[in-house]
Amino acid sequence: GMQSHLQALLSLYKLFCPEQVTITLPGKMKTYFKNSDGPWKAAITAVRQRNKGTSPLSQAVFLGTSQPQSRKRKWNAQLVIPASSTNTNNLEDSKEKNSVYLYRTSESFPVEQLRTFPQLLQNIHRLEFPSQMGSVLTNPLLLHYMNCVKDESIYLRLYYWMGQMLQEECTWCVVDNPCEEEFKNFLEVIYKAECFLQEGFSACEEFLYKTLPLWDGCCCRSEILKLVSWIPLSSFSDIKSYLYDPLAQLFFTSSIYFKCSVLESLRELLQNWLNCNVIQGDSEFSS
């Protein structure tokens, strides 16, 4: 008999090839297949609205997800180390104490007082990361700490924060987002942190894999290609479908400058892979 999921499949065939389906199907059926053209339709609508000069749209097109959150708080406000949860009076008192008090092991060392590398070395066992993980990206001392400690919870917090910020601020995935310069600066901050740590962020890798098929090759071109050079080594099938195929479509239809930029980015990607394998090989050999 005619089951609901079979009717949905036949209706999908009838939508694209009506001459192949001759039976009569009910007009109202449960939706079993999500419309994959949603992001493209919304993006095209946004371009039309922008060219007409009408009011901006509030619809998000980031892979069909929910609407973006309020942009009242800019992303760069997240990159300043906030005051810790310790009472402010206690912080002021601690500044007046001598260095012996600061280096006591009985309590945590507030990160907003971290100024020098010797301070980091002497307090590395009692540092607490700030509540706003984005502030770590612009602080070399905390990046050093991340590299030394390798705490999974730190990377997890950074992963969730960075993934959310990339989704909300992406200028070609959120309709009529005018803050391209801010987004460029944000991507540049991430790239510099990756160069410092000598490894890519998993949230950034996921962001690139999701958005490269929607990328026009122009918006934030330099910053995106820099981030591509830090994608971790994975299976060839993943690299081909998520990275090479989207770039190839742009490569064959773009200028010589874009072609050279892509080749340079892939050369740096290969170099980073080789360096990573050499380091891993040396560590395994020494152990």
Side-chain angles (χ1 to χ4, degrees):
M2 288 299 292
Q3 301 178 25
S4 57
H5 57 276
L6 293 178
Q7 289 182 351
L9 183 60
L10 286 172
S11 67
L12 191 64
Y13 281 124
K14 194 165 186 175
L15 178 64
F16 291 100
C17 301
E19 71 280 359
Q20 300 295 329
V21 182
T22 57
I23 64 174
T24 302
L25 296 171
K28 293 184 178 181
M29 290 185 298
K30 181 180 178 181
T31 302
Y32 279 85
F33 305 99
K34 187 177 180 180
N35 186 3
S36 60
D37 296 332
W40 287 110
K41 288 181 178 179
I44 292 172
T45 304
V47 172
R48 289 174 177 169
Q49 294 287 347
R50 191 158 52 243
N51 291 340
K52 290 179 181 178
T54 55
S55 59
L57 299 176
S58 61
Q59 181 71 26
V61 297
F62 188 87
L63 304 178
T65 57
S66 59
Q67 293 194 7
Q69 297 180 1
S70 172
R71 297 180 53 84
K72 291 182 180 179
R73 175 186 290 180
K74 296 180 181 294
W75 68 266
N76 51 19
Q78 304 284 337
L79 301 184
V80 179
I81 296 179
S84 66
S85 57
T86 310
N87 187 280
T88 307
N89 295 330
N90 293 339
L91 292 179
E92 294 298 330
D93 292 341
S94 64
K95 292 179 182 179
E96 299 174 1
K97 304 293 183 180
N98 55 30
S99 59
V100 176
Y101 175 81
L102 287 177
Y103 298 142
R104 271 188 355 194
T105 59
S106 59
E107 58 186 68
S108 62
F109 184 83
V111 290
E112 62 269 21
Q113 294 185 15
L114 189 63
R115 296 289 183 269
T116 64
F117 195 74
Q119 275 185 321
L120 172 66
L121 295 179
Q122 295 186 48
N123 297 279
I124 198 168
H125 54 286
R126 57 194 188 94
L127 276 178
E128 289 185 3
F129 269 88
S131 57
Q132 296 176 359
M133 285 302 295
S135 59
V136 175
L137 296 177
T138 55
N139 190 305
L141 294 176
L142 292 181
L143 288 176
H144 272 302
Y145 181 60
M146 276 185 62
N147 234 352
C148 295
V149 175
K150 297 295 182 183
D151 185 353
E152 185 178 354
S153 63
I154 296 173
Y155 284 90
L156 216 61
R157 287 178 58 195
L158 197 59
Y159 166 79
Y160 287 120
W161 175 83
M162 188 182 296
Q164 185 70 19
M165 293 303 299
L166 287 170
Q167 174 176 327
E168 291 180 4
E169 302 297 328
C170 181
T171 52
W172 62 91
C173 291
V174 176
V175 174
D176 205 28
N177 185 346
C179 305
E180 181 177 346
E181 198 61 35
E182 281 192 8
F183 189 58
K184 281 184 178 181
N185 295 335
F186 185 34
L187 298 181
E188 188 68 26
V189 167
I190 295 177
Y191 171 71
K192 290 180 179 179
E194 289 182 332
C195 291
F196 189 96
L197 296 172
Q198 290 293 291
E199 62 178 326
F201 294 110
S202 55
C204 188
E205 177 189 10
E206 290 184 10
F207 165 75
L208 291 173
Y209 283 165
K210 288 179 180 178
T211 58
L212 280 178
L214 304 176
W215 185 45
D216 60 2
C218 297
C219 183
C220 308
R221 175 193 297 164
S222 175
E223 291 76 18
I224 290 296
L225 292 179
K226 286 179 181 178
L227 294 179
V228 165
S229 66
W230 280 110
I231 289 179
L233 179 61
S234 57
S235 65
F236 175 75
S237 59
D238 290 343
I239 291 291
K240 182 180 184 302
S241 58
Y242 295 127
L243 177 64
Y244 294 155
D245 289 349
L247 286 179
Q249 295 181 14
L250 295 170
F251 185 88
F252 293 118
T253 58
S254 299
S255 64
I256 294 294
Y257 177 78
F258 181 84
K259 290 181 171 66
C260 293
S261 300
V262 171
L263 292 176
E264 175 67 14
S265 177
L266 295 179
R267 184 194 67 81
E268 293 178 359
L269 176 63
L270 177 60
Q271 180 177 321
N272 291 333
W273 284 350
L274 293 174
N275 290 337
C276 181
N277 287 335
V278 167
I279 293 173
Q280 290 179 355
D282 289 344
S283 60
E284 291 175 0
F285 179 76
S286 60
S287 60

